[in-house]
């Protein structure tokens, strides 16, 4: 009984398998399904390779110097008794920097004052005599000659007083010149004398430079001076400073170095630049313009270590092309080879854009 049941089950299974096979073989073919969907175009912005006037910039190194330098000397000679400043000090205009002692000048001032006092006493006495004799002359008590002599004595006394006052003023000025003051805001560079030394008009005590005005000095080729003019703006970039400083050309020295064939130019710097003498930098001088082919620098891409750009090709496809670049100015870069004016390049190409990718131009 069990054996007959097993045979019946196998027969039924075999018949079912045969029916399924016949259904598959006889079934009509259905529609073919695509393996994958075509990618949609990438939206991009483009820029044209244009011919533009590119600035020709001459970059020349130079340094900051003070607009004025001083060797400070007292106008009167004497012995230095106090020197109040040291190298590196900033001194405001009118500040005492040094003091000298000159006993002979002090003695001359005392003598001048004594002579002035004597002349003033003589003048007072002469004026009193003139008033007294004038009254007597009205009553004919004295002669006109006596009155005239007294008036002459008064006038001479007045002249002596005037001379004495001038002498006292001159001696006082000489004595005041023993105090050396800063003629303007200065930076002290060097002490040339020390307390105890003699100093005078021919024996300066300090070397200093102006703290108000500075300039930038550099040398340029003689052939480029024809393109420069006084007052033109020049950008200067200093080492260790993030922002450039904008100066103005103030002087072109009309004398060339016979060996280097260069001449010096001076560039005035703004007072708020806070620059000090000795700072080095590079002057970027615009000496002309030249036509070049250029594209936005944002269109450049590096692939496998090679610089190139995606060009908008036929059938709206991006084609990667290697290029050779030159100078850069602001957001533009010069194209020396690889592109021609009129072609359009993709600006800021999106990530994943490859050669042959379909694109859709965004905007005009």
């Amino acid at each position: 009984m069990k054996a007959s049941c097993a045979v019946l089950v196998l027969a039924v299974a075999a018949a079912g398998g045969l029916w399924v096979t016949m259904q598959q073989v006889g079934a009509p073919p259905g529609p073919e399904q695509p393996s994958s969907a075509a990618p949609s175009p990438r939206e991009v912005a483009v820029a044209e390779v244009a011919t533009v006037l590119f600035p020709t910039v001459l970059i020349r190194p130079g340094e900051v110097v003070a607009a004025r330098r001083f060797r400070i000397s007292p106008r009167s000679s004497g012995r230095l008794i106090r020197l109040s400043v040291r190298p590196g000090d900033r001194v405001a205009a009118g500040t005492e920097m040094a003091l000298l002692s000159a006993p002979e000048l002090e003695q001359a001032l005392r003598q001048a004052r004594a002579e002035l006092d004597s002349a003033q006493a003589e003048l007072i006495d002469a004026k009193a005599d003139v008033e007294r004799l004038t009254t007597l002359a009205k009553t004919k008590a004295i002669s006109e000659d006596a009155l005239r002599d007294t008036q002459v004595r008064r006038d001479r006394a007045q002249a002596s007083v005037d001379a004495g006052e001038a002498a006292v003023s001159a001696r006082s000025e000489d004595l005041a010149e023993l105090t050396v003051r800063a003629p303007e805001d200065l930076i002290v560079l060097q002490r040339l004398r020390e307390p105890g030394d003699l100093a005078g008009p021919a024996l300066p005590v300090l070397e200093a430079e102006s703290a108000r005005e500075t300039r930038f000095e550099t040398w340029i080729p003689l052939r480029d001076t024809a393109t420069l003019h006084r007052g033109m703006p020049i950008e200067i970039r200093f080492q260790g400073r993030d922002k450039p400083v904008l100066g103005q050309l103030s002087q072109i020295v009309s004398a060339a170095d016979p060996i280097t064939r260069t001449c010096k130019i001076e560039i005035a710097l703004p007072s708020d630049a806070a620059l000090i003498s000795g700072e080095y930098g590079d002057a970027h001088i615009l000496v002309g313009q030249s036509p070049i082919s250029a594209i936005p620098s944002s269109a450049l891409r590096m692939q496998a270590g090679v610089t190139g750009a995606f060009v908008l090709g036929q059938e709206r496809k991006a084609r990667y092309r290697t290029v050779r670049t030159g100078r850069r100015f602001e957001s533009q870069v010069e194209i020396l080879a690889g592109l021609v004016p009129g072609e359009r390049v993709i600006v800021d190409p999106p990530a994943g854009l490859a050669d042959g990718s379909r694109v859709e131009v965004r905007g005009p």
Side-chain angles (χ1 to χ4, degrees):
M1 182 63 180
K2 293 180 177 181
S4 60
C5 288
V7 172
L8 180 60
V9 170
L10 291 173
V12 172
L18 179 61
W19 182 81
V20 170
T21 302
M22 292 177 63
Q23 287 291 333
Q24 292 177 347
V25 172
E32 181 179 356
Q33 299 296 326
S35 59
S36 61
S40 59
R42 307 290 297 274
E43 193 176 63
V44 297
V46 297
E48 188 173 296
V49 181
T51 300
V52 298
L53 289 176
F54 204 83
T56 302
V57 179
L58 179 67
I59 302 177
R60 301 296 296 178
E63 66 175 329
V64 177
V65 299
R68 290 177 297 280
R69 285 204 171 191
F70 303 88
R71 290 177 70 87
I72 299 175
S73 305
R75 294 184 181 179
S76 299
S77 298
R79 191 168 297 277
L80 186 62
I81 60 174
R82 184 168 67 236
L83 195 56
S84 309
V85 295
R86 303 196 67 83
D89 289 351
R90 285 180 173 266
V91 183
T95 303
E96 178 189 309
M97 305 175 71
L99 179 65
L100 285 73
S101 174
E104 64 278 7
L105 293 181
E106 298 173 1
Q107 177 62 31
L109 177 60
R110 287 193 294 268
Q111 182 176 348
R113 284 174 174 169
E115 292 174 355
L116 176 60
D117 292 341
S118 176
Q120 288 173 337
E122 177 67 18
L123 177 62
I124 293 173
D125 185 64
K127 285 181 176 180
D129 286 347
V130 168
E131 291 178 1
R132 181 173 56 83
L133 294 181
T134 299
T135 303
L136 294 175
K138 290 179 180 180
T139 61
K140 305 298 183 177
I142 62 169
S143 65
E144 293 292 334
D145 291 340
L147 176 60
R148 192 162 39 252
D149 291 342
T150 305
Q151 291 173 338
V152 170
R153 187 168 69 90
R154 179 200 59 189
D155 294 341
R156 287 177 178 173
Q158 182 64 59
S160 297
V161 168
D162 294 340
E165 289 176 345
V168 169
S169 178
R171 300 298 178 266
S172 298
E173 289 181 3
D174 290 342
L175 205 59
E177 295 296 343
L178 295 176
T179 301
V180 180
R181 300 187 181 276
E184 61 177 79
D185 295 345
L186 299 177
I187 299 176
V188 179
L189 300 179
Q190 186 179 2
R191 288 164 59 135
L192 305 177
R193 299 286 181 273
E194 293 296 334
D197 294 342
L198 291 175
L203 298 172
V205 295
L206 291 167
E207 186 174 350
E209 66 183 18
S210 173
R212 292 180 182 174
E213 300 178 28
T214 55
R215 65 173 181 259
F216 185 87
E217 291 185 353
T218 185
W219 294 75
I220 66 170
L222 191 59
R223 63 178 180 274
D224 293 318
T225 57
T227 63
L228 306 183
H229 59 86
R230 296 182 65 177
M232 67 179 292
I234 297 178
E235 185 181 86
I236 306 171
R237 301 178 184 177
F238 290 97
Q239 299 176 4
R241 293 177 180 263
D242 297 331
K243 295 183 179 180
V245 174
L246 188 62
Q248 285 189 335
L249 181 62
S250 59
Q251 184 68 32
I252 303 173
V253 179
S254 56
D257 186 290
I259 298 176
T260 62
R261 300 298 177 186
T262 59
C263 69
K264 185 172 72 172
I265 63 171
E266 299 175 358
I267 304 168
L269 299 172
S271 58
D272 58 353
L275 297 165
I276 60 175
S277 297
E279 284 197 63
Y280 283 88
D282 293 320
H284 292 242
I285 308 168
L286 179 63
V287 294
Q289 292 179 321
S290 57
I292 63 165
S293 297
I295 62 172
S297 57
S298 57
L300 297 177
R301 281 293 179 270
M302 293 283 293
Q303 287 193 0
V306 178
T307 302
F310 284 100
V311 182
L312 184 63
Q314 296 180 351
E315 300 178 357
R316 298 287 180 178
K317 290 185 177 181
R319 296 300 180 186
Y320 186 78
R321 190 181 302 172
T322 59
V323 298
R324 184 159 60 92
T325 61
R327 298 165 293 175
R328 292 174 181 261
F329 182 73
E330 295 180 351
S331 62
Q332 298 288 312
V333 60
E334 180 183 14
I335 299 299
L336 300 176
L339 296 171
V340 295
E343 290 186 304
R344 292 190 292 173
V345 294
I346 296 174
V347 181
D348 294 318
L353 187 68
D355 185 73
S357 297
R358 294 176 61 234
V359 295
E360 186 70 31
V361 178
R362 178 176 65 247

